[in-house]
């Protein structure tokens, strides 16, 4: 045994020297406190000064970056800021929807889905985007052909957030789908299909919010405020829908720093 191993580090505990004898075997479990301390010293001496982590490069291909902003929402375009009375009414209506959903959740969950409804698995991001938004919005197809207008093809126009569907979604799935749609919305325009699903998912979101859901809805409100400000045509119906989501996030889910100042 090397003599330098006797004093590896400054002693922090008053442990005296001990002679363990030549029969000391550091490979067997220690039988005395002195043997334990000696074994710790030997193992510490064998540790390299620098350790390099072995990283699987395949894991780096997944989304790793989380953008966190503490800034509030962009103010509404001039003349489009919602009144306090309107915001209070929307919160009251939303609260009633949530209560009704919770009350009748078991009933709607027991209802049979149509044969053409196949809900994607929770982790199937692309599947959920197509399920909620439809191929037309997801693939950014401007219009349907005349033949497609003869009947509703939900695979193309998206499935609406029916109670029989959202009642089957647990909180993990609700949060995942919300994340998928917010991610999509981060680079795409706001559509009625997206708005319906965002409202329904917010109605299914349980309070108190988990940290992940808290971050998601704040991201959603800020994105809505950005899109609202960029709305060149000032479509009142579109701005009203964006105002509604900001209102629910800020006033129902208590993110008051994101709230619109009453007009």
């Amino acid at each position: 045994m090397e003599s330098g191993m006797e004093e590896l580090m400054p002693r922090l505990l008053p442990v005296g020297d001990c002679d363990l004898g030549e029969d000391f075997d550091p490979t067997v479990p220690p039988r005395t406190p002195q043997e334990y301390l000696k074994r710790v010293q030997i193992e510490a001496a064998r540790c390299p000064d620098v350790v390099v982590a072995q990283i699987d490069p395949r894991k780096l291909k997944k989304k790793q970056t989380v953008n966190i902003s503490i800034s509030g929402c962009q103010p509404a375009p001039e003349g489009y800021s919602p009144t306090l009375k309107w915001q209070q009414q929307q919160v009251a209506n939303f609260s009633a929807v949530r209560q009704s959903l919770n009350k009748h959740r078991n009933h709607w969950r027991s209802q049979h889905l149509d044969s053409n409804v196949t809900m994607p698995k929770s982790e199937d991001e692309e599947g959920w985007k197509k399920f909620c938004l439809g191929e037309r919005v997801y693939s950014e197809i401007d219009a349907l052909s005349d033949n497609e207008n003869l009947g509703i093809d939900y695979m193309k126009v998206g499935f609406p957030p029916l109670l029989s569907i959202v009642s089957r979604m647990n909180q993990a799935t609700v949060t995942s789908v919300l994340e998928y749609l917010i991610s999509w919305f981060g680079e795409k325009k706001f559509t009625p299909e997206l708005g319906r699903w965002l409202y329904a998912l917010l109605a299914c979101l349980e309070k108190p919010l988990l940290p992940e859901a808290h971050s998601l809805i704040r991201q959603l409100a800020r994105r809505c405020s950005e899109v609202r400000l960029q709305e060149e045509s000032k479509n009142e119906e579109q701005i009203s829908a964006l105002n509604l989501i900001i209102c629910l996030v800020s006033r129902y889910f208590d993110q008051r720093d994101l709230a619109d100042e009453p007009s």
Side-chain angles (χ1 to χ4, degrees), residues 175-176 178-179 182 211-221:
T175 304
S176 294
L178 191 60
E179 180 180 4
I182 293 174
E212 182 180 1
H214 178 272
S215 176
L216 281 173
I217 65 171
R218 290 182 62 83
Q219 180 183 344
L220 172 60

Side-chain angles (χ1 to χ4, degrees), residues 2-197:
E2 298 179 7
S3 59
M5 294 176 61
E6 295 294 334
E7 290 293 341
L8 298 173
M9 297 180 181
R11 295 186 180 185
L12 300 180
L13 297 175
V15 179
D17 294 328
C18 60
D19 184 7
L20 298 179
E22 296 181 357
D23 61 340
F24 171 65
D25 185 355
T27 63
V28 300
R31 294 166 295 181
T32 66
Q34 290 77 10
E35 289 185 358
Y36 170 76
L37 292 174
K38 179 61 70 173
R39 183 172 179 177
V40 169
Q41 289 180 327
I42 295 173
E43 290 178 352
R46 292 172 178 170
C47 292
D49 294 334
V50 178
V51 179
V52 179
Q54 298 298 321
I55 300 176
D56 185 353
R58 292 174 298 179
K59 295 182 179 180
L60 298 178
K61 295 181 180 180
K62 299 180 180 180
K63 296 179 181 179
Q64 299 287 329
T65 304
V66 178
N67 295 320
I68 299 177
S69 172
I70 59 175
S71 62
C73 287
Q74 299 289 338
E78 185 175 354
Y80 290 90
S81 181
T83 65
L84 179 59
K85 181 178 180 180
W86 183 87
Q87 294 183 66
Q88 291 172 336
Q89 185 61 54
Q90 302 311 312
V91 169
N93 294 343
F94 183 68
S95 179
V97 169
R98 284 173 60 91
Q99 291 176 14
S100 178
L101 177 60
N102 289 331
K103 182 178 180 180
H104 302 290
R105 184 183 299 276
N106 289 335
H107 166 74
W108 287 109
R109 185 183 294 146
S110 65
Q111 300 301 302
H112 292 292
L113 295 175
D114 291 342
S115 58
N116 65 329
V117 181
T118 302
M119 295 173 62
K121 294 182 179 180
S122 180
E123 65 275 12
D124 185 1
E125 179 174 352
E126 299 306 312
W128 274 108
K129 289 176 182 177
K130 294 177 182 179
F131 183 88
C132 299
L133 305 174
E135 289 284 356
R136 181 175 62 87
V137 172
Y138 179 79
S139 302
E140 297 183 293
I141 301 173
D142 292 334
L144 298 173
S145 67
D146 292 337
N147 292 334
E148 291 171 336
N149 283 323
L150 296 177
I152 298 177
D153 185 345
Y154 287 112
M155 294 302 296
K156 295 189 179 298
V157 301
F159 289 91
L162 302 173
L163 289 173
S164 56
I165 292 177
V166 297
S167 294
R168 285 175 161 80
M169 300 169 65
N170 58 29
Q171 281 300 291
T173 302
V174 169
T175 304
S176 294
V177 177
L178 191 60
E179 180 180 4
Y180 301 153
L181 295 182
I182 293 174
S183 174
W184 186 88
F185 183 35
E187 300 178 353
K188 306 293 183 179
K189 61 184 180 180
F190 185 84
T191 67
E193 294 86 355
L194 176 64
R196 286 193 291 267
W197 268 99

Side-chain angles (χ1 to χ4, degrees), residues 71-77 221-222 225-226 228-229 246 258 260:
S71 62
C73 287
Q74 299 289 338
R222 286 193 291 265
S225 72
E226 294 172 358
R228 178 179 64 181
L229 201 60
I246 296 172
L258 302 179
D260 280 316

